[in-house]
Amino acid sequence: MLIKTYVLIEKISQVSNTLYVSLTNSYSKRIDDLLEASEKALQVSYDEAIPLVQEAFNFVDESTDDERKCKLNYTLSRIYFLKGNYTRALDYAKNGVDVCKNSFEISPLLRHKIFNLTGVIYQEQVEVVSATAHFMKAIEALKGLEAEYKQEVAGVYMNMAIISYHNRNFTESLEALEEATRYMEELDFHVGMFRCYNTYGNVYNELNELDNAEIFYQKSLKIVQKLNNSQYLANTYSNLSNIAEKRTDFEKALRLVRKSISINQLLNSEAVIAVDYRRIGVIYFELGRVEKGIEYLEKSYELSTELGSNKEALVTLNSLADACSKAKLWEQAYHYRTLQGKLKSKMFSEEKTRVLSEMQVHHQLERKQRETKILKASEEKIRVYADKLAESNQELERFARVASHDMKEPLRMIKSYLSLIKRKVDKLGDEDLNEYMFFAIDGADRMQVLITEILKLAAVQSKSHKMSKVDMNDVVFMAKNNLRQVIAERNVTVNLPSSLPIVEGNMALLIQLFQNLIANGVKYNRSETPQIDIKMKEQENTYQFEVIDNGIGIEEAYFDKVFEMLTRLHNRTEFEGTGIGLATCKRIVERHEGKIWVTSEHGKGSNFQFYMPKAKM
């Protein structure tokens, strides 16, 4: 009946494992489906895409691979970046970077993307040092794979061009753009071509070469009309509006920027809306509509501040101050200049702190790299030594098994002949010979017990024991059943919790563990009614068990020594034992990635405690 029960338990365990794998695969597929749906929603509205990705996070658990975790953070960061919420975007980007740093499972392409996006966000916040550092990591992620990822390499050139553009290094920006454009046109990659042409237009716009700027913006417009991309279309209208504004064609400029803002309001792209508000405000000032101009510029400043876009807030304050000065609104102009000064000071202070922090991290990284080189120099020697040590351990384990087995046969022969001799000695009635025979047979019996215990210990250390879900109620039941004779003879009481948990382990070893500990508590016990209390406490990832007896106890000086092999604290005339039982317990617990220890008050019993890992769900 018991065998059938365990067969049933094993089948249930197999079904449970199958269900667990099935559930994990189901979660992974659900995450992938939601990510795919979010990409489609992104073409309609950023706000429709965000809940889909956030829902996908609900299916993340310990079994979720790092690639998916990183992709979720990357996707949500990208959406918030497109919305212009750089604070939220940076939070998720940093989460993705952390996953990359702690995992080797992330694909080079995704690793490149998350570092690149983080750099772009820092770039938007005018944190050049942090942006450059992450762009360099993005390049490093694709090292050796440049031919395979031409598009991504071109993207890095694009980002370097944009950094140079923001730092007003226009010559360097144009050189990087030439490389990026060559790649994009070779690949016929329209999105990349749009970015190149658009950036060309921005550079020429800054150089005040308006004809060249308009040529590239018009090329951008043709590309974006093929792409049917609302975001890029809005950006192109805004840029063409800027050219019209510089040519003092303010009505045309206002018409084009209104096209841009109507698209961005549909997309709910708040950062770009802030830019459009600023541009509308400036145009209204140029048209002499001062109150309307201040209204839109104030809206731009408030939205930029709310989004954490210091760069745009700074530009808007400058526009407000300039516009108010032209309109001879001196007090308001002074107010905006004061706010601009405070914001510049704050940004400088924050950037200085970040630079110092990054320098410290860089210093620590260099030191770590030096240490790594030193370690690598001796890595081969360590590996060879570890291989030799493992081989030596295997030889020792083989020796213990073979020696124990080989000793059993001559020992059986000795015991057999001693039994024959004893029969003849008994007939002689010689008391001295009887005593000698008693010692000889007793020695052979003890040798047999010792060999058996050594074999058990060797089996624990050498066998590859399969781990699975084990019900500790069954384990303790089997241990008690194996000891039923001694429990009955000594009138032992074994107290158990109403229910014991399921752990990750090997049933045979765990039965042996509890059997040894219960037997130990009975053996070293002078009480007429020995008592064993088994208790359990649940921890975060483990279960802690206690096996408490009312025996003779152990002095504190021997708390560690009792787990050593062949350690005996008493004479055989007091208590029988081999000194291997507790050593075997220690090996079993260690095989389960646990730890065992004892607390005791001499003469008042012992408390053996150990912990076991929880079964994986």
Side-chain angles (χ1 to χ4, degrees):
M1 182 64 185
L2 190 60
I3 293 172
K4 288 183 178 179
T5 301
Y6 282 113
V7 169
L8 180 60
I9 289 170
E10 184 65 27
K11 286 184 177 179
I12 291 170
S13 176
Q14 290 172 357
V15 171
S16 177
N17 286 335
T18 304
L19 288 173
Y20 172 73
V21 171
S22 175
L23 187 62
T24 300
N25 292 338
S26 174
Y27 279 2
S28 298
K29 186 177 186 307
R30 186 64 179 143
I31 291 170
D32 293 342
D33 290 344
L34 286 165
L35 281 171
E36 186 179 343
S38 73
E39 286 296 325
K40 291 177 181 177
L42 208 58
Q43 302 302 315
V44 181
S45 168
Y46 303 136
D47 287 340
E48 285 186 26
I50 287 173
L52 293 168
V53 188
Q54 288 174 335
E55 184 184 346
F57 271 104
N58 294 331
F59 296 95
V60 172
D61 59 14
E62 290 180 3
S63 66
T64 306
D65 59 83
D66 290 333
E67 179 86 4
R68 283 187 174 86
K69 289 177 185 175
C70 186
K71 194 170 182 180
L72 282 169
N73 282 293
Y74 167 76
T75 305
L76 208 47
S77 173
R78 177 167 155 252
I79 296 171
Y80 275 116
F81 172 74
L82 293 173
K83 269 180 66 69
N85 191 332
Y86 301 128
T87 303
R88 295 291 299 276
L90 189 58
D91 287 341
Y92 284 106
K94 285 178 177 177
N95 289 343
V97 167
D98 287 341
V99 175
C100 282
K101 287 178 179 176
N102 297 321
S103 174
F104 295 103
E105 298 176 9
I106 312 300
S107 63
L109 181 57
L110 182 55
R111 193 179 292 272
H112 162 85
K113 284 182 175 181
I114 193 68
F115 282 123
N116 189 59
L117 177 58
T118 309
V120 170
I121 297 168
Y122 276 124
Q123 178 181 293
E124 282 298 322
Q125 295 184 318
V126 204
E127 296 178 22
V128 178
V129 175
S130 298
T132 305
H134 283 84
F135 285 143
M136 295 306 292
K137 287 176 183 175
I139 292 170
E140 188 180 339
L142 294 180
K143 195 171 183 180
L145 302 169
E146 291 85 355
E148 186 178 349
Y149 294 109
K150 287 183 180 180
Q151 184 176 311
E152 285 69 27
V153 173
V156 174
Y157 276 119
M158 267 301 310
N159 290 327
M160 300 307 285
I162 292 168
I163 279 187
S164 298
Y165 164 73
H166 284 308
N167 288 331
R168 305 192 68 78
N169 295 324
F170 298 127
T171 303
E172 290 180 14
S173 182
L174 289 170
E175 287 173 358
L177 275 171
E178 188 177 350
E179 288 295 318
T181 305
R182 181 171 61 82
Y183 273 108
M184 297 301 186
E185 289 180 344
E186 182 184 326
L187 293 165
D188 196 28
F189 180 49
H190 287 179
V191 172
M193 289 162 65
F194 165 80
R195 290 187 67 206
C196 289
Y197 298 152
N198 189 62
T199 307
Y200 264 122
N202 291 340
V203 172
Y204 284 123
N205 195 357
E206 286 294 325
L207 292 170
N208 216 30
E209 297 181 23
L210 301 184
D211 290 341
N212 283 335
E214 188 168 12
I215 287 169
F216 279 103
Y217 286 148
Q218 289 294 346
K219 289 178 79 170
S220 298
L221 186 60
K222 286 180 183 178
I223 291 286
V224 82
Q225 284 168 344
K226 291 179 184 177
L227 291 172
N228 194 27
N229 185 299
S230 300
Q231 176 200 347
Y232 293 161
L233 184 61
N235 180 257
T236 306
Y237 282 139
S238 181
N239 288 332
L240 287 168
S241 168
N242 184 248
I243 297 295
E245 183 185 341
K246 284 188 173 184
R247 287 173 171 160
T248 67
D249 189 348
F250 299 121
E251 293 294 342
K252 181 181 178 181
L254 190 60
R255 187 170 63 255
L256 287 166
V257 77
R258 285 193 180 282
K259 284 186 178 182
S260 170
I261 202 168
S262 63
I263 295 171
N264 285 316
Q265 283 172 338
L266 286 173
L267 291 171
N268 199 21
S269 183
E270 293 171 311
V272 187
I273 291 171
V275 175
D276 286 341
Y277 280 156
R278 173 173 56 82
R279 298 213 44 257
I280 289 173
V282 170
I283 292 169
Y284 272 130
F285 265 104
E286 294 293 344
L287 290 169
R289 300 174 64 180
V290 175
E291 287 184 9
K292 206 71 174 166
I294 291 175
E295 177 191 338
Y296 273 93
L297 286 169
E298 285 278 10
K299 285 164 87 172
S300 173
Y301 173 66
E302 287 170 10
L303 187 53
S304 300
T305 303
E306 183 184 325
L307 294 171
S309 178
N310 292 332
K311 171 189 169 185
E312 182 58 32
L314 201 63
V315 173
T316 304
L317 285 171
N318 187 62
S319 296
L320 273 164
D322 284 349
C324 287
S325 294
K326 286 180 183 177
K328 297 183 180 180
L329 302 171
W330 310 118
E331 287 186 13
Q332 286 178 269
Y334 175 76
H335 169 68
Y336 294 127
R337 286 288 180 220
T338 303
L339 288 177
Q340 188 182 13
K342 287 179 180 178
L343 183 54
K344 276 184 178 179
S345 177
K346 179 188 172 187
M347 288 171 66
F348 175 77
S349 178
E350 289 175 352
E351 181 67 7
K352 183 174 72 173
T353 303
R354 270 188 288 271
V355 170
L356 288 172
S357 176
E358 286 173 6
M359 286 175 66
Q360 186 178 6
V361 170
H362 182 67
H363 172 71
Q364 290 173 348
L365 183 62
E366 282 187 339
R367 187 179 67 183
K368 204 168 187 179
Q369 287 172 340
R370 286 195 298 270
E371 290 171 355
T372 302
K373 284 180 182 178
I374 293 168
L375 288 172
K376 281 185 177 179
S378 57
E379 189 178 38
E380 185 61 23
K381 291 180 181 178
I382 294 169
R383 188 187 63 76
V384 171
Y385 175 77
D387 289 344
K388 286 182 178 179
L389 187 61
E391 188 178 342
S392 175
N393 284 338
Q394 288 173 359
E395 288 297 326
L396 284 171
E397 287 170 7
R398 276 196 293 270
F399 172 77
R401 293 196 303 272
V402 172
S404 299
H405 280 293
D406 287 352
M407 282 190 287
K408 273 188 169 183
E409 185 55 40
L411 186 60
R412 276 195 294 269
M413 186 180 293
I414 290 168
K415 285 187 67 177
S416 178
Y417 279 106
L418 281 173
S419 297
L420 293 172
I421 294 168
K422 186 176 184 303
R423 290 178 191 174
K424 292 191 176 185
V425 169
D426 286 343
K427 292 178 182 178
L428 295 174
D430 189 322
E431 290 186 6
D432 288 339
L433 280 177
N434 277 327
E435 186 178 359
Y436 300 155
M437 285 305 303
F438 171 78
F439 287 131
I441 292 171
D442 180 62
D445 287 338
R446 283 191 283 108
M447 176 63 79
Q448 190 170 45
V449 172
L450 185 60
I451 290 169
T452 302
E453 292 298 315
I454 289 173
L455 276 173
K456 287 180 181 177
L457 182 61
V460 171
Q461 292 184 204
S462 61
K463 283 186 180 178
S464 177
H465 297 282
K466 184 182 177 183
M467 299 293 177
S468 60
K469 293 180 178 67
V470 177
D471 190 331
M472 295 304 285
N473 294 291
D474 296 334
V475 167
V476 176
F477 171 80
M478 289 294 291
K480 283 174 60 184
N481 190 57
N482 292 344
L483 296 169
R484 60 187 178 278
Q485 186 175 344
V486 72
I487 288 173
E489 288 173 356
R490 292 289 309 276
N491 193 26
V492 179
T493 302
V494 181
N495 297 318
L496 301 170
S498 57
S499 178
L500 290 170
I502 293 173
V503 303
E504 193 79 15
N506 178 273
M507 176 165 274
L509 291 183
L510 293 177
I511 290 171
Q512 188 178 346
L513 169 66
F514 274 90
Q515 188 173 317
N516 284 5
L517 291 175
I518 294 170
N520 195 76
V522 174
K523 182 190 300 179
Y524 298 99
N525 200 315
R526 293 193 177 99
S527 173
E528 291 183 5
T529 55
Q531 182 172 313
I532 307 294
D533 293 314
I534 296 174
K535 297 182 179 180
M536 184 277 297
K537 289 186 288 189
E538 185 175 359
Q539 310 290 343
E540 185 177 355
N541 298 311
T542 61
Y543 292 107
Q544 183 172 318
F545 294 90
E546 298 178 68
V547 180
I548 306 165
D549 63 62
N550 62 340
I552 61 173
I554 302 168
E555 291 183 20
E556 188 174 349
Y558 299 108
F559 282 1
D560 292 327
K561 197 171 182 181
V562 292
F563 295 106
E564 295 176 6
M565 187 175 171
L566 300 176
T567 297
R568 289 180 50 81
L569 305 183
H570 308 279
N571 294 326
R572 288 190 179 88
T573 54
E574 289 185 276
F575 300 100
E576 283 291 334
T578 60
I580 296 177
L582 289 178
T584 303
C585 290
K586 183 182 179 186
R587 300 299 187 279
I588 291 171
V589 172
E590 287 173 349
R591 285 303 291 266
H592 288 78
E593 299 180 0
K595 182 181 177 183
I596 188 169
W597 66 97
V598 64
T599 56
S600 175
E601 188 175 346
H602 188 57
K604 294 186 178 180
S606 303
N607 182 356
F608 287 90
Q609 300 174 60
F610 59 92
Y611 57 80
M612 290 279 134
K614 288 184 177 180
K616 294 175 183 175
M617 298 303 291

